[in-house]
Structure formats: C-alpha cells, structure tokens
Amino acid sequence: MKNKIIDVKAEKIVFPGRSLCRCSDGTVLFTEGLLPGEIANVLVTKDKKTFREGLLKSITSESVERIKPLCSSFGFCGGCSFQNVSYENQIKYKQKYISELLSFTGTAVSKILSASSIWYYRNKVEFSFFNNKGVTDLGFHCKGSFDRYVSVPPCFISDKDFLQVAETVKRFANENNLTAYNNKTHEGFFRHLVLRKAKNNNQLLINIVTNNVEYEPAFWEILVKELGGFSCSIYWTYNGRKSDAVLADKVTLIYGEPFITEKLNIGGKDYFFNISPFSFFQTNSKGTEILYNEVLRLLNQSENDILLDLYCGTGTIGVSMAGNVKKVIGIEQVAQAVDDAKENALANNVFNAGFYASTVEDWVKENKIPSDAVVVDPPRSGLTKDVIRFLLESKSRKIVYVSCNPSTLARDLQLIVENGKYKVKEITPVDMFPQTYHIEIVVLLEL
C-alpha cells in the first residue's frame, strides 16, 4: 500500500489538527488538510499494522464548510492550519477533539472561551531571512520544512506593525547588499527578525539577529533612523551558532528602552509586565486576559491561602493572583525569568510573592511547604512523574492545570485521577490561537 495513491474519506479532525480518514479496507489513515466528510486522493507514505499516514494530493468531494483562505500562503506556511473554515467551525472542531481526548475524566468540557480578535492578534513573531532568487527576503518556514520559506507579507495573524517593520528591514538589507544567512554554508549576515508588541500599551520591540559579524555603530544608525519611529526598543543580537533557533552570543540595546511594558486587566485590576527580547510572555495579549481571569475564577481563593505557582515563568500568573491570597511561592528553572518575576512583582506593588530559581523537580524533592492551592503551567512536554507524585502527596485543596498541549494534559490527568485522590471538576478551553489547531486549556482538580 505504501507509495500508492488511494481514495479516502475524512471522518473527523483530531489533535494536533490531523484529518482522521478511513480507507476502503477500514484502516484508519491520518493526513492533513481535509475537513470531515471530504473525499480525497492521498499518497500513502506510511503503512503500519493498525494505521496509515498519507499526503493529500487532491480533493474529489469538498465539504460545504470549506471556505477560501484569506492568506495566499495558506497550505504552504507552517503558521495557520484552519483558515479553510469559518471561525465558528474552527471552534466546533476544537471543542470536539478536546472533548474526545478528555472524555475519560467524566467531566464535560465547558464551552470554549472564544478569542476577541481572530486576525492580527499575535504579539510576537520570529521571521527568518532567506535568499529568494538572489534577493534577501523575510518569511516563515514552510510547513514541515527547515530549509524552505514563504515570504511575508502577507500574514493575517501577526500584528500589522510587524509587516511594516519587515518591509523596512528587507529594503535596508537589499539596498546595502546584506545577504541572508545560509543554514548549510553558515555564511551570510541577517538571520532572524524577532518582533514583540505590548498590544494593550502599543509598544513595539525589535530584535535583529545576525551572524556573528562585527559592524560599526554608524552602520546601525541608518536603520535606527528608519525604525525608531515604529519602536520603543531596538536590539542587535549576535548568533554565531549553527542552530537555526534564535539564540544569543551577545545582545546589545542599540536604541530606546531595555524593555516594553504590557498591561493586563485581571480581576478588574490592571497589572503591568515588562517584556525584554527573550522574556516568555503569552503570544496573545487579549487572550491572556481571558485565560488568567479564568484561572482566578477557578482558584476562588481566600486571603489566608498559600498559592504555589509551578513553572511560574516571569511571574504573570502569581503576580496577578497575589492580591487574593496570603502568599505566592513561584518556581521557575530559568534564572533570568525569576529575576523578571521579582521585578514584575515590585512594579505591581506585590510584596507577598517569592520567586525561586530551580527546576520544579528539584524544588518538590527538597521542599514540603504546605499550600492551599497549586497552579501548574508546564511546557508542552507536560509534567514529569516526580511532579505528579508531589501533587498527589500534597494536601492542597485545589490544583489548577494550565496546558498548551491537550495530548500531554490528557496523559497527566489520567495519572492524577487514577490515584482517586483528586477529581476533575471543571475543564475550560481558551482559544488564544485562531486559524490554528492550538488551544489553551484550564483544568480544576479538587480533593
């Protein structure tokens, strides 16, 4: 069957945004780009005993739900996966695959809290420079590829100001004969353009990442004159490493303030958070307000409670919850993030929060401080068994699990609830990523 083109019918969409199809012999086949009910020709790329995988070649019967994507790069760019259906149907698909993944909990998944903006919502993007037929260009990786790119503009999920900055930097690069970095030869100057915006405060930070080549300050003055009107901060980052990731050998502030400041309204109160070039901050500011207000609602804490904030990052959750509790203890392994968390606490006049640099695994082994509630917001890989063991042995009345990966969330919840101590009380998805299959989920567990 491998390398053959066959007819399949899509039954449903499953996380992470894959089309589950049925072959004529009843075998399940996974592909991408098909909507439920559609029939298509698919090239079989993997043929296992219990399932197949395939590459979509052509659709022979389209769903009535299919619409024309707004972006001409849709299907090639790795950024969006759901522009081919209305936002209403995007929510419908997400609701279905989350409910299916978490059905074992016995708790109904609440209606998804929808995004307030479905276009131009991203407050951070990482553009890559690439050689486009002899011209230095900027864009995103093609879907599933590390050496092919699609140009921007257009991009309809990035902040509009980002596209104007990208055009300015591209023009500057080509007028000055500055080449794009080549991942194979490791030659070339420009590598990445990382843009961040405090959307609620309308402040923009520009980070230009280059190969490790020295240029005189006068060289940058030309570009700063053009970009200064757009931005509050401009950084120049050297990266001499071979990895395609945005890494830093040296970071230099060449214009403006060292950070931008975002404002979030949580529980009816404004909080302010500084964002530097490499700070972690949610990529949808309005969505973050919805998410954190839901965390606040589920915690429903009293002024005598102690809140443990694991994987606290720059302290955004802990700081915004601190006014409702006696004490917040935040744990984060990235030392710079802990420093930022302490600064964020001071900036918001929060004096009952302590933040500590440690892996969560090390901290839970060495500390048995009692808490009334625990918030966990782990990376996509989810919780380790040591952390799950700590949660099960804790005497916390509540655990609020914030997840950006429904698959690892399901795995972790299965391990937690099978113990019988904690029960899942509420599951609330928050759609912070319109036009994509991604979804944030907040789960409340109680004794």
Side-chain angles (χ1 to χ4, degrees), residues 250-276:
K250 181 180 178 182
V251 181
T252 304
L253 178 66
I254 58 175
Y255 171 82
E257 300 298 322
F259 49 77
I260 55 177
T261 303
E262 183 60 297
K263 177 179 70 175
L264 298 178
N265 187 276
I266 314 297
K269 180 181 177 181
D270 288 338
Y271 293 88
F272 298 88
F273 299 100
N274 295 334
I275 303 170
S276 55

Side-chain angles (χ1 to χ4, degrees), residues 398-415:
K398 295 183 178 182
I399 299 170
V400 174
Y401 192 144
V402 182
S403 172
C404 61
N405 187 338
S407 292
T408 54
L409 171 67
R411 178 201 67 199
D412 294 346
L413 289 180
Q414 184 83 57
L415 293 172

Side-chain angles (χ1 to χ4, degrees), residues 329-347:
I329 301 169
I331 311 300
E332 168 60 46
Q333 69 173 344
V334 179
Q336 181 59 55
V338 172
D339 291 340
D340 291 342
K342 293 175 180 177
E343 290 294 327
N344 284 329
L346 290 174

Side-chain angles (χ1 to χ4, degrees), residues 91-111:
I91 292 297
K92 178 181 71 174
Y93 296 149
K94 291 182 181 184
Q95 190 86 40
K96 284 184 177 179
Y97 61 62
I98 295 165
S99 296
E100 185 172 294
L101 267 174
L102 302 180
S103 61
F104 69 90
T105 65
T107 302
V109 175
S110 300
K111 183 179 178 182

Side-chain angles (χ1 to χ4, degrees), residues 3-208:
N3 296 326
K4 289 186 177 181
I5 294 178
I6 62 172
D7 290 335
V8 297
K9 183 175 183 178
E11 292 187 355
K12 58 184 175 181
I13 295 175
V14 296
F15 186 82
R18 305 182 79 192
S19 306
L20 187 152
C21 308
R22 192 74 58 177
C23 304
S24 58
D25 63 1
T27 303
V28 167
L29 179 143
F30 295 100
T31 188
E32 293 186 3
L34 283 179
L35 304 179
E38 291 186 324
I39 300 172
N41 295 318
V42 172
L43 173 65
V44 178
T45 56
K46 186 179 290 186
D47 190 3
K48 299 293 184 181
K49 288 183 179 180
T50 58
F51 73 95
R52 297 180 181 124
E53 292 183 359
L55 181 66
L56 176 63
K57 302 301 289 184
S58 63
I59 301 173
T60 56
S61 177
E62 288 192 351
S63 166
V64 295
E65 294 182 347
R66 181 175 288 273
I67 64 174
K68 184 179 179 180
L70 185 61
C71 183
S72 58
S73 296
F74 180 77
F76 305 100
C77 178
C80 291
S81 51
F82 271 166
Q83 278 195 29
N84 53 358
V85 293
S86 67
Y87 185 60
E88 179 184 11
N89 283 323
Q90 292 176 35
I91 292 297
K92 178 181 71 174
Y93 296 149
K94 291 182 181 184
Q95 190 86 40
K96 284 184 177 179
Y97 61 62
I98 295 165
S99 296
E100 185 172 294
L101 267 174
L102 302 180
S103 61
F104 69 90
T105 65
T107 302
V109 175
S110 300
K111 183 179 178 182
I112 291 176
L113 300 180
S114 300
S116 57
S117 299
I118 65 172
W119 303 109
Y120 305 111
Y121 62 85
R122 283 193 66 95
N123 61 29
K124 179 186 178 184
V125 295
E126 295 179 359
F127 294 126
S128 294
F129 287 91
F130 66 101
N131 185 310
N132 188 358
K133 300 177 181 178
V135 175
T136 298
D137 205 347
L138 266 174
F140 296 116
H141 286 283
C142 288
K143 186 178 295 185
S145 174
F146 291 97
D147 58 0
R148 294 185 301 118
Y149 303 86
V150 292
S151 300
V152 292
C155 179
F156 295 96
I157 62 173
S158 299
D159 186 275
K160 290 182 179 180
D161 286 347
F162 293 171
L163 304 178
Q164 194 171 357
V165 172
E167 290 281 44
T168 301
V169 175
K170 273 199 293 187
R171 177 168 47 80
F172 174 83
N174 287 292
E175 287 176 352
N176 290 276
N177 297 314
L178 295 167
T179 58
Y181 180 77
N182 186 306
N183 289 326
K184 295 180 180 178
T185 65
H186 309 296
E187 296 175 341
F189 182 63
F190 280 118
R191 299 190 66 158
H192 297 95
L193 176 65
V194 184
L195 305 175
R196 309 192 70 161
K197 190 171 186 181
K199 290 178 74 73
N200 292 337
N201 259 0
N202 198 32
Q203 296 179 0
L204 179 65
L205 184 150
I206 299 172
N207 186 14
I208 303 164

Side-chain angles (χ1 to χ4, degrees), residues 269 271 318-320 322-323 342 344-353 355:
K269 180 181 177 181
Y271 293 88
V319 168
S320 55
K342 293 175 180 177
N344 284 329
L346 290 174
N348 288 283
N349 296 313
V350 170
F351 304 109
N352 62 334
F355 298 97

